[in-house]
Amino acid sequence: MRILRASRGGTALQRAPLTYQEQGATRDALPAGYHHVYRRALVGVGQVAFERAARALSRWDLHRRAGLGVTTSAPLAVPGSVVLLTIGWRWLSISAPCRVVYAVEEPNRRGFAYGTLPGHPECGEEAFVVERTPEDQVWLDIRAFSRPARLLSRLGGPMTRKVQDLVTDRYIDALRDER
């Protein structure tokens, strides 16, 4: 696991303010003025599938399996931890720093949400929650709100949304592989 060190900007990111006002808004109604994402997908059945999915989510494996580079300040996604997500190749990559703003730790629901930090191409929040229903089905819920934070993101327009949709699909496939 790659750990975010102070020399790589880890300390500065942990102190940096979030780039949006609506901290925790992925718990309820998503705020106006942003692009919204809501996806719910069946990723397994049973307690074992639930535990595997929750573990993959909390250890950042969901993001790694989706093809993102993951450098974290902590091995688990806990409130206050920072993650630097990257997509692309070396000099042609995009970095997306985020901080975990809340965690969900319930008997049949687990997950977290992170918010964007300075340097992220978007501003907003994304939540990932795995839920085991009374019917023993395991679902992944992804909720997000975002808007461009950089000129390049604004210029990307529809292409930026297509990349977001592609990454969301890859998140779902990453947990479905757990079955």
Side-chain angles (χ1 to χ4, degrees):
M1 169 172 296
R2 292 174 48 195
I3 301 294
L4 192 61
R5 307 251 184 247
S7 62
R8 294 185 57 139
T11 302
L13 287 174
Q14 288 183 314
R15 287 190 299 232
L18 295 169
T19 59
Y20 63 101
Q21 295 292 319
E22 302 87 347
Q23 182 178 332
T26 51
R27 291 181 196 257
D28 299 308
L30 300 179
Y34 293 88
H35 172 73
H36 296 166
V37 171
Y38 179 71
R39 296 281 297 279
R40 182 171 172 85
L42 182 65
V43 295
V45 176
Q47 183 66 29
V48 171
F50 172 72
E51 293 298 333
R52 282 184 186 155
R55 185 173 44 254
L57 184 57
S58 70
R59 294 181 180 175
W60 300 104
D61 292 338
L62 172 85
H63 293 76
R64 284 187 192 88
R65 291 177 193 164
L68 301 176
V70 177
T71 305
T72 66
S73 66
L76 298 177
V78 295
S81 62
V82 171
V83 61
L84 181 62
L85 302 170
T86 55
I87 189 168
W89 305 271
R90 294 190 186 252
W91 57 272
L92 189 59
S93 66
I94 297 171
S95 294
C98 301
R99 182 182 310 118
V100 176
V101 295
Y102 68 83
V104 176
E105 287 291 331
E106 299 171 13
N108 291 313
R109 290 181 74 237
R110 296 205 200 123
F112 66 91
Y114 53 56
T116 57
L117 293 170
H120 196 294
E122 300 278 317
C123 69
E125 187 173 289
E126 189 164 22
F128 305 87
V129 177
V130 174
E131 177 184 15
R132 182 172 166 227
T133 66
E135 297 80 24
D136 218 22
Q137 296 176 326
V138 180
W139 293 87
L140 171 63
D141 287 315
I142 300 173
R143 294 172 49 89
F145 61 91
S146 64
R147 62 180 168 218
R150 294 184 180 172
L151 178 61
L152 189 57
S153 302
R154 285 194 266 297
L155 294 174
M159 182 55 86
T160 302
R161 297 294 164 227
K162 287 194 182 296
V163 169
Q164 187 176 35
D165 289 343
L166 173 69
V167 172
T168 301
D169 289 342
R170 291 176 77 170
Y171 288 149
I172 293 166
D173 291 343
L175 277 195
R176 282 188 175 144
D177 291 345
E178 280 292 305
R179 288 197 267 180

